[in-house]
Amino acid sequence: QVQLVESGGGLVQPGGSLRLSCAASGSIFSINVMSWYRQAPGKQRELVAAITSSGTTNYVDSVKGRFTISRDNAKNTVYLQMNSLKPDDTAVYYCNAAALTTAWTTVYSWGKGTLVTVSS
């Protein structure tokens, strides 16, 4: 099993910044892709950003140039630096990881989410 714990959400004014963290733990051999998703009220969950173990990144168009995803492979941790935040960024942000366990099985795990509210 792989557990993900997010942190760093909160209330921020438009134009402000937040940094989200997500730490993975459990029977991990390696983690291929780590991602951040978000779900706003009344909307479907969407992929915000993803990063592979080699550092290749991908972003949804609406956050390009404002958000940066990074990871520390030694700590099995992924980060999301969010700058120039807008009210439309308000959502619950979820961490996702595709991990190879020590039992040689692939698991897709989700964190419980952290709320980001952008409001004046």
Side-chain angles (χ1 to χ4, degrees), residues 4-119:
L4 302 177
V5 178
E6 303 104 332
S7 61
L11 173 64
V12 64
Q13 292 186 343
S17 298
L18 281 176
R19 189 191 194 209
L20 306 183
S21 299
C22 171
S25 62
S27 304
I28 299 170
F29 179 79
S30 65
I31 301 178
N32 183 10
V33 181
M34 301 189 81
S35 309
W36 287 98
Y37 287 74
R38 67 185 178 186
Q39 188 166 18
K43 295 186 177 181
Q44 290 187 333
R45 191 174 297 189
E46 68 169 348
L47 176 64
V48 176
I51 184 168
T52 67
S53 57
S54 61
T56 300
T57 60
N58 188 39
Y59 299 90
V60 67
D61 285 347
S62 60
V63 308
K64 286 180 179 178
R66 300 188 298 122
F67 290 10
T68 302
I69 190 171
S70 61
R71 64 189 283 177
D72 184 332
N73 290 330
K75 296 181 179 179
N76 288 327
T77 299
V78 64
Y79 307 96
L80 187 67
Q81 178 66 43
M82 305 185 294
N83 299 328
S84 302
L85 282 161
K86 305 175 181 179
D88 283 350
D89 295 318
T90 295
V92 178
Y93 284 71
Y94 297 90
C95 178
N96 176 273
L100 178 64
T101 71
T102 53
W104 297 106
T105 58
T106 298
V107 296
Y108 300 89
S109 299
W110 290 94
K112 292 183 178 181
T114 185
L115 178 62
V116 172
T117 304
V118 184
S119 176

